[in-house]
Amino acid sequence: MQTVSDKWKQNQERDFTSEGYLDITMQVTDPEVFRVGSVAVNTEADISMTNTVLGMDSYDVKPYTTLEPYVWKLDGTRIGLPDTGELFTGYVSEVTCNGAGNFTTQPVITISFSETITHTVPGITLIFSEVYDSYATSFLLEVSNNGNVIYSLDETANDKATVIIDQDFVNFDEVSLTIRKWLKPYERARVAALLMGFTEQFTKTDIFKYQNTQYIGLVSDKLPKLEITFDVDNTSGKFNPLNPDGITAYLMNKQEISVKYGFKLNNNVEYITGGTYFLSEWSAPQNGLKATFRARDILEYFNNTYMKGRYVPAGQTLYDMAMDIFTEANLPLNRDGTVRYHVDNSLQTIKTKAPLPLQSMAVCLQLIANAGKCIIRPTRDGQIYIEPLNIDLSDYEINNFNSYKKAEIETIKQVKDIKVK
């Protein structure tokens, strides 16, 4: 029998950065009403929608009306559907259930991967309709390999909008979800996301303490630092290493953490992106009430020593040197398949014969940015930029009106040279 420590060790040895995103295809029983993504709602224009689940292709769809109870009032006003802004719709079925919640034509979602998944996937997370607090009370989930079902979950008494299947999956190429019965009568089936793995969401009721630290050097004299530390409720023992029903086996370095800040206005909560961070360390004292997590920006991927610095008699551009480091760091791709790094073209005009020292990849990037009169700028969406300082770049202006205290100003010596051993 595999123990918690064995499973944790196995997961730590996995190279998540090399797994990437696979090409997949999706089939549904009613494709005309298939919706996945964050959609800008506009009743006078087409809706451009980007799929955010498992790297699937984008879809362009027309505005639509679901005409369900709890969604539209008799006077035509909307409930939960804003006139403008963003709304995560997920999958919406064409058919509606009957008065008992049963579907005459059962919606089926099938996800087929371009190749067999040979590494272990720790679980599957089904997220139904969190917006309307509705879900499938009866469904069938099947995981297959080459047409042969290797795992089946026949659920007939579900009572949650988010369902986590705590099961390791390996050697599969297809996942199928059949929705049989819905919670509320005369509604369409909704699936916000089907995630391969676990997802944990903490709200203010779960968080005991939260701290955000941000620093960016305007002359690259120091490495930027965007870091969060937070304590969450662990009274259930979910994060205790010795708990066989816990999830510590799946807590790994560099797991992505997304932060959003919400502010309640009237009956609505408006959110802004607080940042994208990567888990660096965590601790959960035995018999303790909390678990502590620390995560930092994408520079967490640049801690290893860079050992490929080389002397080039003809010289090499700072741009090429930076690209070599990004290749060595092996950053994960964005969900749309694009890279997370962006290097300004001005570095292509600056050459040097000096090889990079035996330092961390982060320090090597700092030397390159400093020599190219650039700054290193991690962003809230998990990107990293090496570019000249833009004095107009500001998320929010701090002036005498909204500043809690006066700025502290100090001068530093001008950087004249860089010594490399």
Side-chain angles (χ1 to χ4, degrees), residues 10 13 45 48 64 84 90 114 122 179 205 216 272 296 369 373 396:
Q10 176 186 7
E13 293 173 348
S48 178
Y64 65 97
T84 60
S114 59
I179 299 176
T205 59
I216 295 181
I272 63 172
R296 66 170 305 185
K373 300 179 183 179
Y396 183 73

Side-chain angles (χ1 to χ4, degrees), residues 113 200 225 319 346:
F113 297 88
E200 287 286 335
K225 180 180 182 181
Y319 183 93
S346 62

